[in-house]
Amino acid sequence: FGESALGFATFAWFMVASPNSIKHAYHYRQVALRLVEKVKLKQHKVHVYLAVYAGINCWMERLQSSIEPLEYAYRLGMSCGEIQYAYISALQHCVVSYQCGVKLEMVERLMKMYSGEMVECKQCLSQSILQVWHQTVLNLMGLSDDPLKLSGDAMDQEPFLNDSLECKVGSPPFVVYHNCSLLAYLFGEYELAAKMAAKGEALVSKVQSFYADGNHTFVQGLISLALGRSTDQTNFQTIAKQSIDQMEIWSEYAPSNYQHKLLLLQAEYAFVFVKSDDAAVLYDEAIDKAAENGITQDLAIAYERAGLFNFAQGNASKASQLYGQAHDVYLQWGARGKADYLRLRSPF
């Protein structure tokens, strides 16, 4: 049963890389979980839980539902000697917690604890990837000298990238470029964000399917829409439309993870390229859906972009209110660095 469960889980994980196969992958995921419950060997359960809750679940179930199973997989792996898989589970426990909008102070403590353990147990790859996410969190919290650069207490960006690219391992540099693109976007450096996103795009096919893939598409779309406001380059409209098309597919299977992202991209597209009256309605729907889905950082971004839209429309009063709400949500999340940036660069 154990090997069969792992086989079904691995097959499902590969299937979700193709959007047209997500529905079928769900069936194999269910089979894997049913089979693994009949297995006495803990090792098999660790492997299956990692595949299901780190790689498969985000394409078909609420992202928050993966947090506890990944923590359980870590503890189970440590108890049965599956150290490598235990710490990959720990890494994903941290990353998914961050992506779900868990308070950054709590996530940072978790990352620091796991990172120390990984060093002691010589889990170099997991620890190197965790460093990137950890430094991203520190930057958002305002605990770094330069919010655009992943250098500080957790890592030093340039040597890290050089070493990773030299080793030709796709995951660490992709995670760097993805997080750098997000940080540059959040801190208003859209051209740098586009440059980082393009470098991440070149590596995304070499990385196994995770929620970060979907976030990469979302952020790339947001960056293209932001640049579309200030330039007349048609390639930004093309990238934005591709991001929307992809998000439409994912939101069909996992609306709790992607519906609000789709609505925000559609709102920005209607504002920037279509000049449609639908934009105002779409921004409101994106805000409501992000709040319903509980992804704190996406809610803050939706408030912020809706504020910019209303300011451009001449509605300074509503724009100021939305900006204030964005600031408050960023603070609630623990992203003081971003909240301070928003306050200091407010157009009001």
Side-chain angles (χ1 to χ4, degrees):
F1 286 122
E3 292 181 358
S4 296
L6 181 58
F8 280 116
T10 303
F11 185 51
W13 195 352
F14 281 109
M15 288 185 75
V16 295
S18 172
N20 295 328
S21 300
I22 291 175
K23 184 177 180 180
H24 301 293
Y26 184 80
H27 168 72
Y28 292 113
R29 166 197 180 274
Q30 295 297 88
V31 172
L33 288 175
R34 285 197 296 268
L35 285 175
V36 83
E37 293 305 322
K38 301 178 180 180
V39 176
K40 293 182 179 180
L41 284 175
K42 295 178 180 179
Q43 290 91 332
H44 292 303
K45 198 167 190 177
V46 176
H47 297 173
V48 170
Y49 266 45
L50 178 59
V52 168
Y53 293 106
I56 302 170
N57 229 38
C58 63
W59 308 108
M60 52 189 71
E61 296 285 352
R62 190 175 182 85
L63 187 63
Q64 290 90 333
S65 68
S66 291
I67 294 176
E68 288 188 10
L70 286 169
E71 183 181 17
Y72 172 71
Y74 157 72
R75 289 188 278 104
L76 191 65
M78 294 300 289
S79 72
C80 68
E82 285 288 323
I83 303 300
Q84 180 182 0
Y85 287 93
Y87 281 117
I88 297 173
S89 301
L91 164 64
Q92 293 303 320
H93 177 218
C94 290
V95 174
V96 170
S97 296
Y98 160 74
Q99 292 168 330
C100 286
V102 173
K103 289 185 181 297
L104 292 181
E105 184 179 353
M106 185 181 303
V107 174
E108 195 277 328
R109 285 200 301 267
L110 197 63
M111 289 176 166
K112 191 172 183 178
M113 178 191 75
Y114 282 139
S115 185
E117 292 183 15
M118 289 172 183
V119 171
E120 288 183 12
C121 294
K122 296 181 172 58
Q123 297 301 305
C124 300
L125 181 57
S126 292
Q127 199 267 337
S128 69
I129 296 172
L130 183 57
Q131 286 179 63
V132 182
W133 295 99
H134 190 184
Q135 190 60 53
T136 301
V137 168
L138 292 171
N139 285 23
L140 289 167
M141 294 173 73
L143 300 176
S144 63
D145 294 333
D146 183 353
L148 303 176
K149 194 171 183 180
L150 292 172
S151 294
D153 290 346
M155 65 174 286
D156 192 352
Q157 180 174 317
E158 294 308 319
F160 181 95
L161 261 180
N162 291 337
D163 291 345
S164 297
L165 292 170
E166 189 175 314
C167 293
K168 297 182 179 179
V169 179
S171 295
F174 168 76
V175 174
V176 170
Y177 293 135
H178 167 61
N179 281 291
C180 282
S181 69
L182 174 62
L183 289 169
Y185 173 77
L186 290 175
F187 289 95
E189 295 292 337
Y190 301 133
E191 291 185 2
L192 174 62
K195 180 181 176 182
M196 293 293 105
K199 289 185 175 182
E201 182 67 18
L203 294 169
V204 72
S205 63
K206 300 178 181 178
V207 180
Q208 182 61 284
S209 181
F210 290 105
Y211 185 68
D213 300 2
N215 254 352
H216 165 73
T217 299
F218 176 53
V219 172
Q220 193 171 40
L222 289 175
I223 293 165
S224 298
L225 289 159
L227 285 168
R229 291 184 60 194
S230 56
T231 70
D232 57 1
Q233 296 181 41
T234 57
N235 65 306
F236 292 125
Q237 184 172 4
T238 301
I239 294 171
K241 187 64 172 65
Q242 289 171 344
S243 298
I244 290 171
D245 290 345
Q246 185 66 70
M247 210 59 64
E248 284 178 341
I249 296 170
W250 289 333
S251 65
E252 179 183 348
Y253 294 103
S256 59
N257 299 333
Y258 301 103
Q259 185 68 36
H260 63 277
K261 297 180 192 290
L262 171 62
L263 288 165
L264 182 55
L265 290 174
Q266 290 174 329
E268 291 273 273
Y269 193 91
F271 170 36
V272 175
F273 294 119
V274 183
K275 312 299 181 186
S276 167
D277 294 336
D278 293 340
V281 175
L282 287 165
Y283 280 117
D284 288 343
E285 290 179 353
I287 288 168
D288 290 343
K289 190 58 70 172
E292 179 185 325
N293 291 341
I295 309 294
T296 310
Q297 58 270 49
D298 291 351
L299 175 60
I301 293 171
Y303 275 131
E304 182 181 355
R305 303 313 295 185
L308 289 172
F309 163 74
N310 278 276
F311 186 73
Q313 299 299 109
N315 192 344
S317 176
K318 186 171 183 180
S320 178
Q321 178 186 358
L322 288 162
Y323 245 58
Q325 288 172 300
H327 177 270
D328 290 347
V329 174
Y330 281 124
L331 273 185
Q332 290 167 17
W333 186 36
R336 179 168 293 277
K338 168 60 181 178
D340 288 347
Y341 169 87
L342 204 63
R343 175 176 54 82
L344 293 171
R345 288 163 179 78
S346 169
F348 312 106

